[in-house]
Amino acid sequence: MAATSRGTAPEPPDVRPRLTVLSGPSGVGKSTVVAHMRKVHPEVWLSVSATTRKPRPGERDGVQYYFVGDDEFDKLVANGELLEWAEFAGNRYGTPRRAVLERIEAGEPVLLEIDLQGARLVRESMPEAQLVFLAPPSWEELVRRLTGRGTEPPEVIERRLETAKIELAAESEFDTTLVNTSVEDVARELLALMQVV
């Protein structure tokens, strides 16, 4: 009599957290959503970027940014130590690669909050990353948010609005779009996408 083998349950899929990238036009509220989310779920690790810009009052090295000189930034780029980098308003910003990979390997949810250019570079170097686009409820609302700050001259606002049009046109490049009608709702949806419970 032939032996019959009993089927074994399949191995559960590898549910290791993957990198989540949050991007969207200037003024859409990315920082506000991330701040709210991390208040509720401090275990979500937000990557700290390196920058060549000088610290603003109250900013601390290693907290808001890693503040580095041009030479040091050049070395980071040359050695492939940045996952992505971009120049914005005369300063360079980049995401240190090693810290991101270490956190993912440790099974921690990792979030990057970066611009469109950076999101595209992450897509190239880490195709498995989850790209999330944060959209405004409407163009009028985005204009209101950008002009309502009252901290920038009209030509800067005009430049930001032109950039925002380009950024909005790139929405289809992302895996998921969240519309920022409510900070609490978007933060909850983002946590669900990141599988943080």
Side-chain angles (χ1 to χ4, degrees):
M1 188 168 131
T4 57
S5 65
R6 295 176 64 177
T8 56
E11 287 290 310
D14 183 13
V15 289
R16 230 179 54 190
R18 61 182 172 155
L19 174 63
T20 300
V21 174
L22 181 66
S23 193
S26 176
V28 77
K30 296 182 294 291
S31 300
T32 306
V33 167
V34 170
H36 176 78
M37 188 178 86
R38 292 196 68 233
K39 200 181 292 178
V40 180
H41 281 276
E43 73 275 16
V44 172
W45 188 74
L46 180 68
S47 175
V48 177
S49 297
T51 183
T52 56
R53 84 158 167 76
K54 300 287 179 248
R56 293 184 182 132
E59 288 183 332
R60 295 195 321 270
D61 186 54
V63 178
Q64 286 81 11
Y65 290 97
Y66 294 112
F67 297 98
V68 300
D70 280 313
D71 291 345
E72 192 176 344
F73 201 96
D74 289 341
K75 281 184 198 155
L76 292 172
V77 171
N79 295 334
E81 293 180 45
L82 298 177
L83 193 57
E84 58 81 30
W85 71 273
E87 189 163 332
F88 182 75
N91 295 301
R92 290 180 291 171
Y93 298 81
T95 303
R97 182 186 301 271
R98 184 184 304 145
V100 168
L101 296 179
E102 284 173 355
R103 299 290 177 146
I104 289 172
E105 285 301 316
E108 295 179 42
V110 175
L111 180 66
L112 295 188
E113 178 207 329
I114 52 179
D115 68 0
L116 173 62
Q117 185 182 345
R120 285 172 169 159
L121 290 168
V122 170
R123 170 69 86 207
E124 282 175 30
S125 60
M126 290 184 77
E128 71 279 9
Q130 172 175 228
L131 270 57
V132 179
F133 188 85
L134 188 61
S138 66
W139 172 251
E140 293 72 25
E141 175 62 17
L142 187 63
V143 170
R144 190 189 66 73
R145 289 178 188 179
L146 281 171
T147 55
R149 290 174 172 175
T151 55
E152 291 156 333
E155 62 274 11
V156 171
I157 290 170
E158 195 54 46
R159 230 178 13 250
R160 281 183 181 265
L161 290 172
E162 286 306 311
T163 302
K165 284 178 188 167
I166 295 164
E167 290 168 332
L168 285 168
E171 180 182 339
S172 63
E173 297 175 34
F174 288 74
D175 301 313
T176 306
T177 294
L178 300 178
V179 179
N180 192 7
T181 50
S182 150
V183 169
E184 292 79 9
D185 290 347
V186 169
R188 200 164 35 249
E189 289 168 15
L190 189 56
L191 286 163
L193 285 172
M194 294 179 72
Q195 300 176 332
V196 178
V197 287

